[in-house]
Every structure is written in C-alpha cells, then in structure tokens.
Amino acid sequence: MLVRRIALRQTSLLCHSFRSPNPAVRQWSRSIGTPRRGNNNERPRGGIGGVLSGVAVAFAAGSAVLLYSSMTKDPIKPREAAIEYEKDRPIPESKEDHRDLISSQHLQVKKSWENPGVYAWGSNSGRVAAPDSTDTVVKTPRRISYFDGQLLRDIKLDREFGAAVTENGDLVQWGTAFSVANPAPAETLKGKDLVKIEISRDRVIALGKNGTVYSVPVAGSDQSSGEKTHQSSWLSFWTSPETVHYREIKPQNLGWGESIVDIASGLEHTILLSSKGRVFSAAASTSDFPSKGQMGIPGLSWSTRPKGPYDMPHEILSLKNFQVTKVAAGDYHSLALDSDGHVFVFGDNTSGQLGFEVEPQYSFIDVPVPLPFNKIYSGSRQQPRVTSIAAGGANSFFMVDAKRVAAPNEDASAARDLGRVTADTWACGSGICGSLGTGKWTHISLGPSKIKSLSGLYEWDENTNSVIPIRLARLSAGSTHAAAVMDNVISVDATDASSHNDTNWGADILFWGGNEHYQLGTGKRNNTALPTYIEPLDGGQGDAEKGRKGEQHRFQITPRTTTRLGENGTGRKVSIEQRVECGRFVTAIYSGT
C-alpha cells in the first residue's frame, strides 16, 4: 500500500501544473502551436500540449501499477536441493579387503603383483598391441596373453613389430614384420643373457650382460636364411650352430676392462656407451645408411665410409674428453649427457629437435655441439644442471635441476631460498601432434620450451619432514607421443602388522602427444598437447567390484619393490616394478624385473 500511495502522490504532483488553484478561473498552458487569442477567457480548442499531458498521466499511472505488482508478487523460491548420500560399500571380509575398498591405488598395486604381464594399446595394423586380434586399433589397455605371469627385462614396440627380453635374457619377437603367416610372439635369440634392446627400421639391437651388442633381423625369414655363427659350450669342446642369424657390433679399440653398458637407436643408427664414458656410433639398418649427421662423425656417408662392415662402430672423438653417462636417440638425431650435466646434440634439426633455431641451409649438424642451458636460465638466479635426457621421433626432452644461487650483486645473507632446487622438464622439436607437452601446437621449435605441468612441483616428505622437488623418474618418448613417470612419494610397505587404513600407492604417470591410433590410452582419438592421466589399466573393473562403479580414478604405476607374486602373495619372491614404453603409435605397460 505504501508503494501505491507514493506512486499516486507522484502522479498528483505531475498533474498539478495543469490545474488552476481557483476553480472559477481556469488557466491553460500555452504551447508553441497555440496562437494567442484576443480574448483571454476564450478556451483553446486543442493542441499538442494537452496530448503530452495526457500521455504523461497515463505513463505515470501504468508505471505505478507495474511497480506495485512487481513489489507485491511473492519471491521465487529456490529449488530444494536433493541430498545424495554416499553409496553403501561392501562389508570388508579382512584387513586387506578393507584396503581394497577404500583405495583404488592400493587395488592397482595389489593386482600388478598378483597378475604380472603386459598391457598394450594403440595401432594394431601389425598385430603388435593385440597379436591374437584382427582389430586395426586397440583403444584402451589390453593384456597380451602370451606374457601373462611373466616379468620382462625390456620391451620395444614398432607399428609393425615388437620385441621383448624375458626374465632369463632371451629375445621374443612378434608382429607382421616378424612373420605375416604367424605374427604371434616367439622366442628367437636365446642364451645371450640380454639386458636391453633397441629397434631400428629393420633390426633389433640387443645388449648382453657381458657388453656384447647383437644386431638381429626383424623378419623371421632373414633370421633363418642368413649366415649363422657357432655357439660353444663350456661343458664340452663341441660347438653348435646358432638357430638365428645375427651380427655383432664390436668397437675395435675398447680398453682393458672396458665394455658397452648402454645403447640407443634411431631408425638408421645406434649409439653405444662404454663403461669409461666413451661414445661410439654405428649403422643399424640394412635399408638406409645414416646420412643426417646422427652418427656424430663429420663427413661420414655411404660413399666416404672406411673399409669394413657397413655397421662397423666409429668412436665419436668430439666427446672423448667428456665422461658421458647417458645417451638417447630419436629417429634421426642423437643426445649425450656427461657427468657434469652438460648435453651434446647432433643429427637432424629440421624440426628444431636439437634445441637450436632451424636454419634451412643447415638442416643437420654432424658433430656434437653443447646445448647452452646456462644461457636459457640466464637472469633467473638459478644454476641449471641437466640430470637426464630422452628422445623419440623428432623430439628431445631434458630434465633439469635448477639450483637457486645468489646473483652477482645480491647479498647472500639476505637472499631467500638459497640452495633450493627446482626440477624442470624441457622439450623441443616437432609439436604439431602435441608431443612437446607444452600446450602449444607448433611445427618446429625455436629452442627448448618448459613443460610447465611437469616443472616446479613440490611435495611434503614425511620421512625428512621437508618440502622436496618432484622430479621425473622416467620419460619414455615414442614417435609422436610420450609418457612421464613422476618420482613422487610412494608407499608399498603396507603389511598385515600395519593399520587397516594403511594402503599402498604408486607413482603418477601422465601421457601426451599424438593419439591418431589411440596410443595415449584415453579411449578417444584426439591429440593432447598437455600431460594427462588415464584410467586404471583394467578399465575400472576392479573399482566396480569394490563398489566404486562410475567413479573416476587415475592409473598409478607400481614402483620397484621386493614382494611375492600371485594371489595373496603365495608365489615366488622377486624384485618387480611396472614400466612404460612408448613406441611407434603403440604403448605398453609391463612388469619389469
């Protein structure tokens, strides 16, 4: 009612000027369109002023009605919230069952011990991800039944063939490039105690525990038709012919007690690292001789190569005065890391994978050159030290510990966080598929770019009661995609004696890059330019059985520990961990020994 009174009062005031205080004498407003009359008492016959007055009165009245109705209408009541209670969990039958019910990560760790083996996904055009299936792609992780219950020393995957090293050090090969008629896994090279393998376009490069390097054909037909060596036995003086044709890659000038301890391969070349920090390179494919500087030997080509076998190793003399501790290789480029944290790069640079700006007139560099990370960190008050390297396809990755130091004119006593270490990850090369992991889609790189999702991370360590940087435990780079295993705090020591709420959990693992063949394991086909999680390897089946159906949980990879295999830990005792391997459009998670 108050509002109505106010509105009526305003209407009365508005009309007041049109009324005469003396009802006997009426005064009319004169408008522009009203001519002056000779007789002042003569009433005008009409005009615009009267019309405007009427409109004003009607407008004021209508406004008052609308204002009143809006003020007196009942307010809109909010919808009553629906309360959703947590679904009832199954009643635990034991302490271990209780842990499975409350933690998806604990269940994942437990299953990795009970059922070791290999999960693979991605392209299956060569029957690599699923040898027993004719599906052209495998969209989500699927077990390769041949490896059920097995631990592996290593595994490498190409689109058309796969290779693995068993727990006993024997070589297993499969895929259509191995055998079109029977692409199923089969043991080939045996008795060499292999510890690591790499693959080129058509060869498997295998490193024996004693430092011997073997070059084995991918095709089974080439293994059986080639010239075979003889294998001697320490039990007798007799020798027997090998069943598989292979070649040995032998550096000629190794010193006393020096042996090959690490290998890395691209499509056409392989890099060998000796126990004394020396680096050698050799051709690793029978189809093409390396021609893009990836060997690190200036001027070396098919026409200028010295006399001898085509895959004869050559020492990279430019690195002779450096203690190299790790090597890595992409399709056509190579990396070397020394004990002081310096990185040397050489080979193809058409995508900027060497960390330098692309120069059309110099598409490759055939001699190792240092990558200046001190310049990259210039002005940051941080001193960088490269701790690890990785390469794949046309990409390179660098893991860096950046230590906070005092600036030249800075008072060290007043400086904060001196000595604090920040762990950063850098990438360079082709990013058109998102394989840089920086969130940008670029054809080429002008220099290393920081992967912010994997850099500057910290966590609280209860064992040391301090904040520590989160580094990468491992980075696996495929041809267009990659995966990073975080070195975060883990727990794998829950026992019968500990609390029923004491659970195990593993390390975070993230994937990014090309996904045209579903190699990221997300179940979708879109490329991803930022590191992302995937679901548990079983697709959430274990969570559903424990009452967590429909919940979103991420896959965590199981770190190394000593435990017993089999259900409820009734099997043999082993040292085991899960590892990731990104190949050419294929990905695998396997139980490693």
Side-chain angles (χ1 to χ4, degrees):
M1 293 301 294
L2 178 61
V3 174
R4 184 178 181 184
R5 291 175 181 174
I6 294 174
L8 293 175
R9 182 178 180 184
Q10 294 296 329
T11 304
S12 177
L13 292 175
L14 183 64
C15 300
H16 183 74
S17 60
F18 298 102
R19 297 176 181 175
S20 173
N22 185 359
V25 180
R26 297 183 181 272
Q27 296 182 354
W28 298 92
S29 299
R30 180 175 180 272
S31 63
I32 296 176
T34 305
R36 181 178 296 275
R37 303 285 181 174
N39 186 1
N40 292 335
N41 293 330
E42 184 178 0
R43 178 178 177 178
R45 297 182 180 272
I48 297 178
V51 175
L52 293 176
S53 300
V55 171
V57 172
F59 176 78
S63 300
V65 173
L66 292 175
L67 181 62
Y68 172 74
S69 60
S70 62
M71 294 293 292
T72 58
K73 186 180 295 185
D74 293 337
I76 299 176
K77 295 182 179 180
R79 294 179 60 183
E80 187 174 347
I83 301 176
E84 294 184 4
Y85 295 95
E86 183 180 2
K87 297 178 181 179
D88 293 335
R89 302 283 187 185
I91 300 176
E93 299 178 357
S94 63
K95 180 185 292 187
E96 185 63 25
D97 190 37
H98 175 80
R99 293 167 176 165
D100 293 340
L101 291 173
I102 65 174
S103 173
S104 173
Q105 284 72 32
H106 181 87
L107 184 61
Q108 293 179 47
V109 171
K110 179 181 176 180
K111 284 194 170 187
S112 71
W113 295 339
E114 290 183 342
N115 303 293
V118 176
Y119 287 87
W121 60 93
S123 174
N124 197 43
S125 61
R127 305 282 290 276
V128 175
D132 55 353
S133 173
T134 58
D135 295 340
T136 57
V137 293
V138 177
K139 298 181 180 180
T140 54
R142 184 185 302 181
R143 291 182 73 94
I144 300 180
S145 59
Y146 177 88
F147 296 107
D148 283 349
Q150 294 191 43
L151 306 184
L152 301 179
R153 293 185 179 181
D154 200 1
I155 193 171
K156 291 294 183 291
L157 305 170
D158 184 86
R159 185 178 185 177
E160 305 299 330
F161 65 90
V165 180
T166 68
E167 188 176 3
N168 296 325
D170 297 330
L171 181 64
V172 175
Q173 294 177 250
W174 71 98
T176 56
F178 169 65
S179 174
V180 176
N182 185 15
E187 290 187 351
T188 54
L189 187 63
K190 302 179 183 179
K192 303 302 182 183
D193 198 13
L194 305 179
V195 293
K196 184 179 181 180
I197 55 173
E198 294 285 337
I199 56 176
S200 68
R201 179 175 282 114
D202 56 7
R203 311 284 292 188
V204 177
I205 311 300
L207 175 63
K209 191 174 183 179
N210 61 359
T212 304
V213 180
Y214 305 92
S215 177
V216 183
V218 165
S221 58
D222 292 340
Q223 296 177 9
S224 58
S225 61
E227 181 181 356
K228 301 174 180 63
T229 59
H230 282 70
Q231 176 177 261
S232 61
S233 173
W234 64 276
L235 295 174
S236 65
F237 296 100
W238 298 99
T239 62
S240 59
E242 296 278 4
T243 58
V244 174
H245 162 67
Y246 63 85
R247 300 176 62 85
E248 287 190 14
I249 301 178
K250 296 180 179 179
Q252 298 299 318
N253 57 344
L254 292 179
W256 177 259
E258 186 179 13
S259 63
I260 301 301
V261 294
D262 196 12
I263 57 175
S265 292
L267 289 178
E268 301 171 350
H269 75 295
T270 187
I271 303 294
L272 315 177
L273 176 63
S274 82
S275 56
K276 293 188 177 180
R278 294 200 292 164
V279 183
F280 302 82
S281 63
S285 173
T286 57
S287 59
D288 294 288
F289 193 82
S291 60
K292 298 184 178 182
Q294 64 266 50
M295 299 267 283
I297 309 297
L300 180 64
S301 65
W302 176 258
S303 59
T304 62
R305 75 188 191 283
K307 293 182 178 180
Y310 80 96
D311 56 358
M312 179 178 63
H314 308 268
E315 184 176 4
I316 302 178
L317 298 178
S318 303
L319 298 175
K320 192 170 185 179
N321 295 326
F322 300 93
Q323 184 69 27
V324 177
T325 58
K326 187 175 178 59
V327 291
D331 285 351
Y332 303 106
H333 72 288
S334 307
L335 312 176
L337 173 66
D338 75 356
S339 57
D340 293 325
H342 301 137
V343 177
F344 300 88
V345 297
F346 48 101
D348 181 32
N349 193 45
T350 53
S351 297
Q353 57 264 54
L354 299 186
F356 299 103
E357 187 173 353
V358 178
E359 298 184 18
Q361 64 272 29
Y362 302 108
S363 60
F364 64 84
I365 300 174
D366 60 3
V367 61
V369 294
L371 189 59
F373 268 93
N374 283 329
K375 184 177 180 180
I376 295 174
Y377 278 85
S378 177
S380 66
R381 299 182 180 181
Q382 290 180 310
Q383 182 178 355
R385 184 177 185 274
V386 181
T387 59
S388 188
I389 54 176
N395 294 106
S396 301
F397 299 91
F398 312 94
M399 282 60 79
V400 178
D401 273 3
K403 184 179 180 181
R404 171 73 164 90
V405 295
N409 298 325
E410 185 180 12
D411 183 4
S413 60
R416 299 180 58 185
D417 298 332
L418 282 181
R420 185 177 185 178
V421 175
T422 301
D424 295 331
T425 303
W426 298 78
C428 58
S430 175
I432 193 62
C433 294
S435 49
L436 292 175
T438 60
K440 298 181 179 179
W441 313 87
T442 57
H443 286 277
I444 60 175
S445 297
L446 301 179
S449 299
K450 184 183 293 186
I451 305 179
K452 295 181 180 179
S453 302
L454 305 178
S455 303
L457 304 177
Y458 294 87
E459 66 180 341
W460 180 260
D461 186 1
E462 294 183 354
N463 295 325
T464 61
N465 288 327
S466 62
V467 176
I468 59 174
I470 303 178
R471 299 179 173 89
L472 298 192
R474 188 168 187 258
L475 193 152
S476 177
S479 56
T480 62
H481 73 295
V485 178
M486 308 301 296
D487 191 19
N488 55 275
V489 173
I490 52 90
S491 175
V492 288
D493 53 4
T495 63
D496 292 337
S498 56
S499 167
H500 65 289
N501 290 325
D502 186 17
T503 61
N504 294 323
W505 68 87
D508 286 329
I509 177 171
L510 300 99
F511 299 83
W512 68 92
N515 199 27
E516 61 272 39
H517 301 282
Y518 297 91
Q519 60 263 45
L520 295 184
T522 60
K524 301 177 182 179
R525 204 170 189 175
N526 58 297
N527 298 342
T528 302
L530 289 172
T532 186
Y533 295 102
I534 65 173
E535 293 183 351
L537 296 178
D538 63 358
Q541 179 181 352
D543 289 322
E545 293 173 354
K546 297 300 179 181
R548 292 189 291 267
K549 184 177 181 180
E551 297 182 9
Q552 296 294 322
H553 296 278
R554 68 179 184 270
F555 166 56
Q556 284 193 321
I557 198 166
T558 303
R560 177 168 295 281
T561 189
T562 300
T563 187
R564 290 191 177 275
L565 303 179
E567 188 173 356
N568 298 323
T570 57
R572 60 192 178 100
K573 193 174 185 179
V574 297
S575 176
I576 183 177
E577 67 174 347
Q578 282 185 322
R579 301 178 195 149
V580 60
E581 182 62 38
C582 295
R584 190 167 302 279
F585 312 137
V586 192
T587 308
I589 298 290
Y590 67 100
S591 301
T593 182

